[in-house]
Amino acid sequence: RVNSLLEIERLRTRIAADLHDEIASNLSSIAMFGKIIQDETKTPSKSSIMMPQLLERIITLSQESVGSIRDIIWAIDPKTETIHDLLIRVRDMIISSCRAKEITLIYDLPNKELLPSKNLSPEQRRDLWMLMKEALSDSVEHSGCTELFVITLYDGEHIKIVIKDNGRGFNTSVTYNGRGVGTMKKRAAYLDAVLEFYSEPGKGTT
């Protein structure tokens, strides 16, 4: 009973962190951009050419917030889900994004019977989903890639998921602003997983 209560408390803490990191940050940006637009409309002579870009950014942040809220609701849904079920969900999520960006997606997923049949805990399901979503979104939105590979391997003991793109890559020795890499490392730690990056400018990222 104590273990169950501790697990619930950990899940609540992480959900609170997600709401702070994902939703609160977006809403703060939306409020800031809205205030800029409001101030500019009060002085028509100073109408800014940035107005369309600000409105587009507000729309994007709003859509991202809706998606994040849906992810959080799904993560605490008590229904059971295996690793295969989760990877199918990831594939369905990324297919449309790749089509929109004209990226060739190679998604190699073993048959269901070749993967563990044990159901993921709500915490595992949530952290793995968010980690993969972050990594794939970075490749699709920021790498400039034309090909994206997602390969899942299982040796009977460990699952290895490889996400690889042929995009512009980056210097792994440089510290970049933003939450992406840091958030992925945090989620990997929650999963008791090993997270490795391989990238060079002009040579894509794995």
Side-chain angles (χ1 to χ4, degrees):
R1 181 173 175 273
V2 171
N3 285 338
S4 296
L5 291 172
L6 288 173
E7 184 175 342
I8 291 170
E9 187 59 31
R10 284 194 297 269
L11 184 60
R12 285 174 174 169
T13 300
R14 293 184 194 174
I15 289 171
D18 282 346
L19 288 171
H20 178 271
D21 293 344
E22 304 289 335
I23 310 301
S25 176
N26 282 359
L27 291 178
S28 295
S29 296
I30 289 170
M32 180 183 68
F33 294 147
K35 182 67 168 60
I36 292 172
I37 292 172
Q38 183 183 53
D39 291 344
E40 290 182 348
T41 55
K42 291 179 180 177
T43 53
S45 61
K46 295 177 64 179
S47 179
S48 172
I49 60 172
M50 291 293 291
M51 190 83 73
Q53 290 93 322
L54 290 174
L55 289 171
E56 183 177 347
R57 187 62 182 146
I58 287 174
I59 292 169
T60 299
L61 289 170
S62 300
Q63 292 171 337
E64 288 177 357
S65 297
V66 170
S68 295
I69 291 171
R70 285 175 177 164
D71 287 345
I72 292 170
I73 293 171
W74 163 78
I76 60 176
D77 190 324
K79 73 176 183 180
T80 57
E81 195 163 81
T82 65
I83 184 70
H84 187 271
D85 296 330
L86 178 63
L87 291 171
I88 290 290
R89 183 185 292 273
V90 171
R91 184 191 64 186
D92 293 345
M93 178 269 297
I94 201 62
I95 280 177
S96 58
S97 298
C98 286
R99 283 177 179 166
K101 294 280 187 176
E102 297 184 346
I103 296 170
T104 300
L105 175 66
I106 295 89
Y107 200 98
D108 188 2
L109 177 61
N111 292 331
K112 189 170 186 175
E113 59 271 16
L114 298 178
L115 290 172
S117 58
K118 180 181 178 180
N119 290 318
L120 299 171
S121 70
E123 289 176 305
Q124 290 172 327
R125 182 174 62 178
R126 173 183 146 279
D127 286 323
L128 185 55
W129 166 263
M130 298 295 280
L131 194 159
M132 292 191 69
K133 183 179 178 182
E134 181 77 42
L136 289 165
S137 295
D138 282 352
S139 287
V140 171
E141 299 296 332
H142 307 300
S143 75
C145 69
T146 58
E147 292 183 337
L148 178 60
F149 298 80
V150 182
I151 302 166
T152 300
L153 306 169
Y154 180 55
D155 62 7
E157 185 177 1
H158 299 102
I159 292 175
K160 182 176 183 179
I161 300 172
V162 180
I163 297 173
K164 180 179 180 179
D165 67 56
N166 67 343
R168 64 178 63 92
F170 65 96
N171 187 343
T172 55
S173 65
V174 175
T175 300
Y176 294 90
N177 294 326
R179 301 191 305 268
V181 173
T183 300
M184 284 189 276
K185 288 180 177 178
K186 181 174 68 175
R187 296 194 188 283
Y190 288 151
L191 289 162
D192 194 23
V194 176
L195 179 65
E196 298 176 335
F197 288 92
Y198 303 95
S199 186
E200 291 181 41
K203 295 187 177 180
T205 301
T206 301

